[in-house]
Amino acid sequence: MKKLVVLLAFIAFSNLAFSQETYTINNETLELKTEVDGTLDLLWNTFNGQYRYFVRTNDGNISELKNTKGADNSYQEEYKKTLSDLTAQDASKVKLTTYSLKSFINDYNVSADASYTSNDTKTKLKLRLGVFGGLTNNPFVNNPNNETVPLFGAELELVSDADLPKQAAFLNIRHSTDNDAFKYSATQFALGYRYRVINKTGFNIYAQTKAVTFTSAKSTISYVDAESNVITEESSGTSFDAPFVFGIGADIKLGNGYVTLVYDSLFAVFIDNQGNFSTDFAVGYKFNL
């Protein structure tokens, strides 16, 4: 894993170093990345969390693709007219996203230059690494007094490199501790899926499910036998399940990553709740690798 992280970091640095250049546009100095290089170039970058896009013609003229709000608070979509004027093609269905702009400009470049090779390749994937901590009452375990114990863990999230990816797969590991009143602890690996129901630049809200889990647990039970002796029994074991445990969460953009909030283990399809309503909260931070 360490080698993978180093490799991904090197690739990211290399791409940044070789594809980002400084431009002066309308007396504004900007560092922009080249997404498409052809008869018409597509340049972009993020500034204060906002995406800005530009197109450059063969004569070096650079125009910004704007989408400002008018007096009636509706978007003016000026970028569509800019694209139509430069390409003499219908841009009415183009969205102001990297994927949509890239697709439109690649199609134009192919029509304008028969030797042009489109770089509109398959969707690339990227990783996000997160750490988190919180509290849980282990809702799927017998917990007579509804004791709450700490939990902590880490996660790898796999998303597409689209501007606002809606879907993600994740692999996480979490450990819940025990206490004097509830001597049960567990370490769980989970493979899951999440879908962002609300997906904005600054935040998103998602539903998630843990489809497959591997759990290693340890418990201690004490009781008094018929002769008034205190008997203590320890047990441990592992289990591999496909429980489809559902939860909800939110990511809030901060720096090079996200503050993440998760309310997990609301219910499961193939594991019974043991009588206590779920108290399983975690807060953490995940960043782009």
Side-chain angles (χ1 to χ4, degrees):
M1 179 55 66
K2 183 177 180 181
K3 292 181 178 179
L4 175 61
V5 171
V6 172
L7 177 60
L8 289 171
F10 175 77
I11 293 172
F13 175 80
S14 299
N15 288 339
L16 181 65
F18 291 101
S19 64
Q20 188 164 294
E21 297 181 21
T22 301
Y23 301 86
T24 300
I25 305 170
N26 296 327
N27 297 320
E28 187 178 11
T29 301
L30 302 170
E31 289 189 352
L32 301 176
K33 303 173 186 179
T34 301
E35 187 71 25
V36 177
D37 186 4
T39 303
L40 190 64
D41 302 335
L42 175 62
L43 313 173
W44 71 280
N45 212 335
T46 56
F47 302 91
N48 298 320
Q50 299 295 320
Y51 285 83
R52 292 178 65 181
Y53 299 95
F54 301 80
V55 287
R56 179 176 57 188
T57 58
N58 275 337
D59 59 7
N61 183 53
I62 299 178
S63 302
E64 183 169 5
L65 300 175
K66 297 183 178 181
N67 189 19
T68 59
K69 285 186 176 182
D72 60 353
N73 208 36
S74 62
Y75 286 102
Q76 302 302 297
E77 299 185 334
E78 300 98 326
Y79 71 93
K80 293 183 178 181
K81 184 177 187 307
T82 300
L83 290 173
S84 294
D85 290 344
L86 290 173
T87 63
Q89 295 184 1
D90 179 19
S92 61
K93 296 183 179 180
V94 179
K95 297 179 180 179
L96 196 62
T97 65
T98 306
Y99 177 83
S100 184
L101 292 170
K102 183 177 179 179
S103 179
F104 176 84
I105 293 175
N106 268 319
D107 288 345
Y108 167 73
N109 286 340
V110 169
S111 67
D113 181 0
S115 64
Y116 176 78
T117 301
S118 172
N119 64 347
D120 191 10
T121 57
K122 294 181 179 179
T123 300
K124 297 179 182 179
L125 300 175
K126 61 183 180 182
L127 287 172
R128 293 172 178 170
L129 175 64
V131 292
F132 57 86
L135 297 171
T136 182
N137 65 346
N138 292 288
F140 305 120
V141 175
N142 186 31
N143 182 1
N145 297 319
N146 196 24
E147 294 288 334
T148 300
V149 296
L151 70 88
F152 55 89
E155 177 183 280
L156 277 177
E157 184 182 51
L158 182 66
V159 298
S160 76
D161 66 348
D163 294 341
L164 294 172
K166 278 186 167 293
Q167 303 179 74
F170 65 88
L171 172 66
N172 71 20
I173 176 174
R174 55 181 269 170
H175 178 75
S176 59
T177 64
D178 60 4
N179 62 23
D180 292 338
F182 184 57
K183 293 187 177 299
Y184 172 88
S185 62
T187 300
Q188 182 187 83
F189 294 85
L191 180 63
Y193 167 83
R194 59 178 53 117
Y195 182 82
R196 292 176 170 86
V197 181
I198 299 176
N199 199 23
K200 305 293 183 181
T201 302
F203 74 96
N204 61 73
I205 298 175
Y206 57 82
Q208 70 173 35
T209 180
K210 294 178 180 178
V212 178
T213 61
F214 175 81
T215 307
S216 175
K218 179 181 179 180
S219 64
T220 302
I221 300 175
S222 297
Y223 61 93
V224 179
D225 66 8
E227 299 177 356
S228 299
N229 297 312
V230 177
I231 306 298
T232 299
E233 295 181 353
E234 292 186 354
S235 63
S236 61
T238 60
S239 62
F240 183 80
D241 301 292
F244 287 90
V245 178
F246 287 85
I248 57 175
D251 293 333
I252 303 169
K253 180 70 175 174
L254 180 65
N256 187 40
Y258 301 85
V259 173
T260 181
L261 308 169
V262 180
Y263 185 6
D264 199 9
S265 302
L266 282 170
F267 65 93
V269 177
F270 297 113
I271 297 181
D272 292 332
N273 184 288
Q274 297 299 305
N276 297 316
F277 188 79
S278 175
T279 303
D280 195 298
F281 300 95
V283 60
Y285 186 82
K286 59 186 173 186
F287 57 91
N288 297 309
L289 296 180

